[in-house]
Amino acid sequence: MERLLVVRGDITRERTDAIVNAANCSLLGGGGVDGAIHRAAGPRLLDECRTLGGCRTGEAKITKGYDLAAKYVIHTPGPVWHGGAHGEDALLRSCYIESLKRASENGCATVAFPSISTGVYHFPLERAAAVAITAIRDYLAVHDEIEQVRMVCFDARTEAAYQHALDAAEGL
Ligand code: AR6
């Protein structure tokens, strides 16, 4: 089984043990993939999120998945793009690493990620894809307990960027 895959789809339909939410620091929902996950999980997800006290950018907190097929949702606020000189790359890498740590701690063998920060937060897509793929590969190299990570891309342009980053990393 490939341990890191790029696929096209709707992350709310994923049957992985955990799906990751590109959240904001309030953890109280929003638009984009965050809104879609809250709609699909049902109102109990927001009830649990209200107990968490928010989350800092680059960190990650886990909840149950409620009406989703996934057992857990891992919520991580990505960085807002401010030109690239404000720690955006390190914060984005931290989102992937911290989310995978929550997955490992909670016995998740399979995890699905959306393209964190490349929507409303305007992180440049190709740069985000390189950061994401590198972070996930680095984590998988030292964490056997994670069997598969799926990068779930909502549109063709996003899928192409992540597939290109994955191909480039495999060529190393
Ligand atoms: N499945 C997979 N990917 C999706 C889905 C879906 N169902 N829906 C959208 N995407 P964004 P951000 C893609 O804006 O940039 C929210 O309001 C989308 O096409 O959702 O991290 C939060 O509350 C894009 O490629 O997240 C925050 O306030 C990617 O998900 C803010 O947006 C990320 O786009 C976070 O902004």
Side-chain angles (χ1 to χ4, degrees), residues 6 13 17 25 33 35 37-38 45 47 71 84 107 110 112 114 123 149:
V6 174
R13 312 293 289 261
D17 294 327
C25 290
V33 69
I37 288 171
H38 275 272
L45 178 61
D47 291 342
K71 187 171 180 196
T110 55
F123 203 115
V149 174

Side-chain angles (χ1 to χ4, degrees), residues 9-11 22-24 29-34 36 115-121 152 154-155:
D10 175 351
I11 200 167
N24 60 61
V33 69
D34 193 2
S115 176
I116 298 165
S117 283
T118 67
V120 177
Y121 284 177
V152 181
F154 206 47
D155 54 57

Side-chain angles (χ1 to χ4, degrees), residues 5-96:
L5 284 179
V6 174
V7 299
R8 175 105 164 258
D10 175 351
I11 200 167
T12 66
R13 312 293 289 261
E14 285 290 317
R15 309 192 67 81
T16 45
D17 294 327
I19 66 170
V20 176
N21 181 16
N24 60 61
C25 290
S26 78
L27 299 186
L28 299 180
V33 69
D34 193 2
I37 288 171
H38 275 272
R39 278 193 299 278
R44 291 176 296 166
L45 178 61
L46 183 57
D47 291 342
E48 185 175 358
C49 284
R50 285 190 210 284
T51 71
L52 299 178
C55 185
R56 292 192 184 87
T57 301
E59 299 185 0
K61 294 188 177 180
I62 192 165
T63 65
K64 292 184 209 149
Y66 299 99
D67 295 343
L68 294 164
K71 187 171 180 196
Y72 296 103
V73 180
I74 297 168
H75 306 262
T76 184
V80 178
W81 182 254
H82 288 298
H86 295 82
E88 291 94 333
D89 293 303
L91 287 166
L92 186 61
R93 176 181 171 87
S94 179
C95 287
Y96 286 91

